[in-house]
């Protein structure tokens, strides 16, 4: 009765009124599942706060305003929805990335779990005398649909699940939270338990894979099968805009049609018709340009063509509305485009053959362009997995191959082969980026590429900012996307906003690299004292390392021209990290740049003493010390003395002393011997060492 398998072009069948048993009493419909608290969501949610009179219904998410009356069920035809408590079929809703969708070439539909009829479900809101509000939420409809500023509204799960699954699978996701096979087993197991267990498992899964449309749909079906309409609507609000998936949006439209009384032979009120049309338009704005969107277009056309009218004026309005809808559809490069054109041809010829000739001549070239683009687009999309779950980059050839295919499709869309106007092109490219991000949600490169392309090539900084913000939510601890966004804001002279990006990142990732980049930003934007303030914060952090000291030391030396402060920083670092050889190397390089020979020699001796029993580090310091003496010493005895000292420390390293001579006399890429001779010297030294 709520068929989401999308088979055929007609709307999902609804039980006629005469087959519907009387609705159960209020007492019988009070369900313990309605008392379950949702998973806490620490992140800001895009849904508005409930009105005071609706506080008792904390999970109701639709707006109860002027559409309330339109949403009521007509008294003459009370409707019910039948569904099984076993609505979800785990065998058809796994998370195996290798399972491709069963796609209808004409309609682009996807086979999915469907609700199976088994008993009456009351349409009215559970435990409430109020009608079910079904209009498009005002806070959604008011936002420009192509900007898509929302992100999947998911909450971090509890560290200790209240309803854990089998230990072997819990252990696997504890080791790798992106283990899709383990998640498939956990979801399968959850459906053998109560609704609380099922909800928690879906919330946990969607926290990891928030862009999986088929699992949002499965979750919605679970709640719908149990008549938890407020929860159904809450789930729609959480996932619709951030997950531009055709089948998810078609599910939403079917739900809106159902609760507005759009059933077989129903006589809809003008308000109910308007609500359904708004839902169709809302869906088309978000996914109407998808290659698989023909199902929504066909449903919409069927709805408009079969609307009941009274009088010639309404007949004329209906005819004009159908014509405009056909004309919009034939410009979309989608499955079933040729069939849609044939239907439009028949529609016009049935009305007026003379006018049809002119209109078809006018719209024929547009259809032809769309058909050519569709064929090219289809070739590019063959082989794309539309069910791939979004995981961080992990060197998978399959994932990299999928990304390469998506990027080829993106490059094709950017060419504008259909010669559409700039606004539509911008929308189509934005939509394609969003499609890629459904499957590469955890890839910083895609978020940055999308934002920068929209800014630089499409002159759309507002949408670029939105992509960056969404990227920060998807990758809250990833430094790459945060640094890119901060630089973007800094270049736009939005210094305070850029500073806030670094502060936000530090809450999730206080690594040394974050502090280093923050100091560089602070020096560019705040002067000498800026990076010093950041350094003070970094020094107090557990994650602080020698890198922070070295970064500020070089900044003080090269930018602030203050070698004294720089040397003090190096000394402080050596005191805190006395055995770090990389730090010592940087300090030596710095001291040599000061041209203070005596201080440099003292530092070399200090580091040789600190090396102690570390022969590798001792040899490195000794070689660098010799290179320093070779280039700066005016006393040949000092050089010979140091070489003798090295030979005593490493008697087996250069038994003949020839390698030391080569090292002393070489300069840059010039050497006192050929490469063949040098290799021979090395082999001879090795044989002598082995014989001894």
């Amino acid at each position: 009765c709520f068929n989401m398998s999308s088979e055929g072009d007609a709307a999902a069948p609804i039980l006629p009124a005469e087959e519907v048993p009387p609705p159960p009493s209020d007492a019988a419909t009070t369900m313990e599942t309605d008392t379950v608290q949702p998973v806490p969501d620490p992140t800001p949610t895009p849904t508005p706060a409930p009105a005071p009179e609706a506080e008792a219904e904390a999970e109701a998410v639709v707006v109860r305003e002027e559409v309330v009356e339109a949403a009521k069920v007509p008294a003459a035809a009370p409707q019910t929805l039948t569904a099984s408590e076993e609505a979800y079929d785990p065998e058809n809703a796994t998370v195996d990335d290798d399972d491709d969708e069963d796609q209808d070439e004409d309609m682009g539909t996807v086979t999915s779990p469907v609700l199976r009829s088994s008993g009456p479900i009351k349409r009215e809101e559970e435990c409430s005398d109020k009608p079910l509000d079904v209009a498009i939420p005002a806070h959604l409809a008011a936002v420009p649909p192509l900007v898509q500023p929302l992100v999947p509204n998911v909450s971090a799960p509890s560290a200790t699940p209240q309803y854990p699954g089998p230990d072997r699978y819990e252990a696997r996701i504890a080791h790798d939270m992106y283990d899709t096979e383990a998640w498939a087993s956990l979801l399968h197991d959850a459906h053998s338990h109560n609704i609380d267990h099922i909800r928690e498992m879906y919330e946990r899964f969607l926290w990891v894979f928030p862009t999986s449309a088929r699992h949002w749909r499965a979750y919605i079906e679970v709640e719908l099968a149990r008549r938890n309409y407020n929860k159904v609507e809450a789930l729609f609000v959480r996932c619709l805009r951030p997950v531009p998936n055709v089948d998810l949006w078609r599910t939403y439209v079917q739900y809106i049609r159902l609760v507005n009384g759009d059933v077989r032979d129903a006589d809809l009120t003008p308000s109910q018709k308007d609500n359904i049309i708004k839902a169709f338009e809302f869906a088309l704005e978000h996914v109407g340009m998808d290659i698989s969107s023909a199902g929504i277009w066909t449903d919409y056309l069927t709805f408009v063509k079969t609307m009941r009218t009274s009088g010639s004026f309404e007949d004329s309005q209906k005819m004009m509305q159908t014509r405009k809808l056909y004309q919009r559809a034939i410009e979309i490069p989608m499955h079933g485009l040729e069939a849609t054109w044939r239907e439009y041809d028949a529609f016009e010829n049935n009305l007026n053959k003379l006018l049809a000739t002119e209109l078809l001549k006018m719209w024929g070239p547009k259809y032809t362009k769309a058909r050519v683009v569709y064929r090219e687009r289809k070739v590019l999309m063959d082989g794309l997995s539309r069910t791939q779950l979004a995981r961080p980059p992990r060197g998978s050839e399959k994932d990299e191959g999928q990304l390469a295919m998506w990027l080829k499709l993106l490059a094709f869309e950017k060419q504008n082969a259909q010669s559409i106007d700039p606004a539509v092109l911008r929308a189509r490219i934005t939509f394609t980026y969003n499609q890629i991000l459904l499957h590469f949600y955890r890839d910083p490169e895609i978020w940055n590429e999308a934002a920068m392309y929209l800014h630089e090539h499409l002159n759309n900084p507002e949408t670029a900012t939105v992509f960056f913000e969404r990227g920060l939510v998807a990758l809250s601890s990833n430094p790459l996307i945060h640094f890119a966004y901060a630089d973007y804001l800094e270049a736009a002279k939005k210094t305070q906003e850029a500073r806030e990006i670094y502060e936000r990142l530090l809450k999730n990732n206080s690594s040394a690299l974050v502090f280093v980049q923050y100091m560089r930003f602070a020096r560019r934007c705040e002067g000498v004292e800026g990076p010093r303030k950041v350094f003070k914060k970094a020094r107090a952090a557990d994650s602080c390392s020698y890198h922070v000291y070295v970064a500020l030391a070089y900044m003080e030396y090269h930018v602030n021209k203050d070698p004294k402060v720089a040397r003090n920083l190096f000394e402080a670092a050596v005191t805190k990290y006395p055995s770090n050889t990389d730090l010592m190397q940087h300090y030596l390089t710095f001291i040599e740049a000061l041209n203070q020979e005596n201080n440099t020699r003292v530092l070399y001796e200090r580091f040789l003493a600190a090396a102690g029993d570390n022969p590798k580090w001792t040899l490195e310091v000794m070689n660098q010390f010799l290179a320093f003496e070779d280039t700066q010493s005016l006393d040949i005895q000092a050089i010979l003395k140091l070489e003798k000292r090295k030979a005593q420390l490493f008697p087996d390293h250069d038994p003949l002393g020839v390698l030391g001579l080569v090292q002393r006399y070489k300069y840059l890429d010039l050497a006192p011997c050929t490469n063949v001779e040098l290799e021979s010297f090395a082999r001879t030294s090795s044989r002598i060492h082995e014989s001894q």
Side-chain angles (χ1 to χ4, degrees), residues 206 244 250 261 272 277 342 361 380 390 436 450 595 620:
L206 291 169
R250 196 175 185 187
Q272 289 172 326
I277 288 174
R342 289 194 298 269
K361 182 179 179 181
L380 290 169
I436 298 173
N595 286 323
E620 290 181 7

Side-chain angles (χ1 to χ4, degrees), residues 145 266 300 308 356 667 669 691:
Y300 193 2
R308 295 182 180 179
Y667 181 74
D669 59 343
S691 65

Side-chain angles (χ1 to χ4, degrees), residues 140-303:
L140 289 182
V143 180
L146 294 175
V147 175
Q148 302 215 24
L150 304 182
V151 294
N153 186 3
V154 290
S155 307
S158 171
T160 305
Q162 186 176 359
Y163 303 99
D167 291 344
R168 62 185 182 279
Y169 300 124
E170 292 287 355
R172 285 176 60 176
I173 64 170
H175 174 69
D176 177 10
M177 66 187 295
Y178 297 99
D179 186 334
T180 57
E181 291 183 358
W183 277 115
S185 300
L186 287 171
L187 287 170
H188 186 282
D189 173 76
H191 280 270
S192 63
H193 299 279
N194 61 30
I195 184 62
D196 296 0
H197 190 131
I198 296 173
R199 283 176 181 157
E200 183 183 72
M201 195 59 69
Y202 271 108
E203 292 292 342
R204 291 174 60 195
F205 176 87
L206 291 169
W207 168 254
V208 180
F209 302 105
T211 56
S212 177
R214 55 191 171 131
H215 292 91
W216 280 107
R217 292 177 64 208
Y219 192 3
I220 288 168
E221 290 181 10
V222 167
E223 298 293 359
L224 186 61
R226 290 161 175 80
R227 306 184 290 273
N228 299 323
Y229 298 120
N230 281 339
K231 296 184 184 296
V232 169
E233 293 161 12
L235 289 172
F236 275 132
V237 170
R238 290 171 60 188
C239 70
L240 271 180
R241 291 177 61 82
V243 186
N245 173 271
V246 168
D247 295 287
L248 180 61
W249 276 87
R250 196 175 185 187
T251 299
Y252 169 72
V253 172
Q254 290 173 333
Y255 177 76
I256 294 298
R257 295 179 68 178
L258 176 66
V259 294
N260 271 279
D262 182 22
V263 295
R264 189 181 306 150
D265 298 326
D267 190 8
L268 302 180
T269 67
S271 295
Q272 289 172 326
K273 293 178 184 178
D274 186 58
N275 284 341
I276 295 171
I277 288 174
K278 284 181 179 178
F280 272 119
E281 289 293 337
F282 194 44
L284 291 179
E285 286 174 340
H286 284 80
V287 296
M289 60 188 72
D290 194 289
I291 194 172
S292 302
S293 63
I296 297 179
W297 286 100
T298 302
D299 289 348
Y300 193 2
L301 282 162
T302 302
F303 173 77

Side-chain angles (χ1 to χ4, degrees), residues 62-174:
V62 293
V63 180
R64 292 175 166 86
E65 294 177 351
E66 70 277 0
V67 297
V68 171
E69 292 302 320
K72 291 182 178 177
V73 181
Q79 303 300 323
T80 66
L81 175 67
T82 62
S84 167
E85 292 293 309
E86 299 290 331
Y88 175 84
D89 181 1
E91 298 299 323
N92 292 330
T94 66
V95 293
D96 186 358
D97 285 347
D98 294 328
D99 293 340
D100 291 330
E101 296 166 330
D102 299 323
Q103 196 171 68
D104 183 300
E105 284 300 312
D106 289 333
M107 302 306 300
T109 56
V110 177
T111 302
S112 71
V114 297
L115 299 179
R116 292 180 285 276
S117 304
S118 64
I121 296 181
K122 196 173 73 170
R123 268 204 63 231
E124 288 80 10
E125 197 169 329
E126 291 295 326
C127 307
S128 173
D129 294 328
K130 299 179 182 179
L132 179 64
D133 303 340
V134 295
I136 299 171
H139 63 282
L140 289 182
V143 180
L146 294 175
V147 175
Q148 302 215 24
L150 304 182
V151 294
N153 186 3
V154 290
S155 307
S158 171
T160 305
Q162 186 176 359
Y163 303 99
D167 291 344
R168 62 185 182 279
Y169 300 124
E170 292 287 355
R172 285 176 60 176
I173 64 170

Side-chain angles (χ1 to χ4, degrees), residues 445-602:
E445 60 178 320
I446 305 301
W447 290 107
N448 181 67
E449 150 73 14
M452 296 310 298
Y453 184 86
L454 290 166
H455 172 65
E456 296 175 356
H457 297 277
L458 299 184
N459 192 27
N460 195 347
E462 294 81 7
T463 307
T465 299
V466 167
F467 269 93
F468 271 127
E469 288 289 346
R470 291 170 60 201
L472 264 56
V473 174
L475 301 161
S476 60
S477 61
N478 182 277
L480 189 62
I481 189 65
H482 284 77
F483 295 158
Y485 187 23
D487 284 352
Y488 171 81
L489 293 171
E490 183 184 348
K493 308 299 182 184
K494 297 180 179 180
T495 305
Q496 180 58 35
E497 291 90 333
R499 182 184 298 105
E500 291 172 359
I501 298 302
Y502 286 104
E503 292 293 340
R504 285 166 61 181
L505 177 58
L506 283 172
K507 294 178 181 179
N508 299 301
N509 183 346
S510 59
S511 67
L513 179 61
V514 176
F515 281 113
V516 169
Q517 294 301 325
Y518 194 3
M519 287 193 301
R520 291 180 174 179
F521 160 79
R523 181 61 184 87
R524 293 192 299 267
C525 299
E526 301 173 11
V528 174
E529 293 301 320
R532 294 176 180 176
K533 292 178 182 178
V534 177
F535 173 76
K536 184 177 180 181
K537 181 185 295 186
R539 190 170 55 177
D542 294 336
S543 58
C544 185
S545 67
Y546 81 91
H547 304 83
V548 178
Y549 288 81
V550 172
L552 184 58
Y554 281 133
M555 200 178 299
E556 294 288 351
Y557 177 60
H558 293 293
V559 182
N560 299 342
K561 312 301 181 184
D562 194 335
K564 182 178 180 181
V565 173
R567 183 167 185 175
N568 290 341
L569 285 165
F570 272 115
E571 283 294 334
V574 170
T575 301
K576 188 172 183 178
Y577 310 100
S579 60
N580 190 294
T581 57
D582 292 329
L583 169 61
M584 295 177 185
Q585 184 66 49
H586 284 291
Y587 194 5
L588 286 169
T589 301
F590 166 74
I591 287 295
E592 288 183 13
L594 296 180
N595 286 323
Q596 298 177 357
E597 292 184 20
N598 290 335
N599 288 335
T600 303
R601 290 188 177 95
V602 170

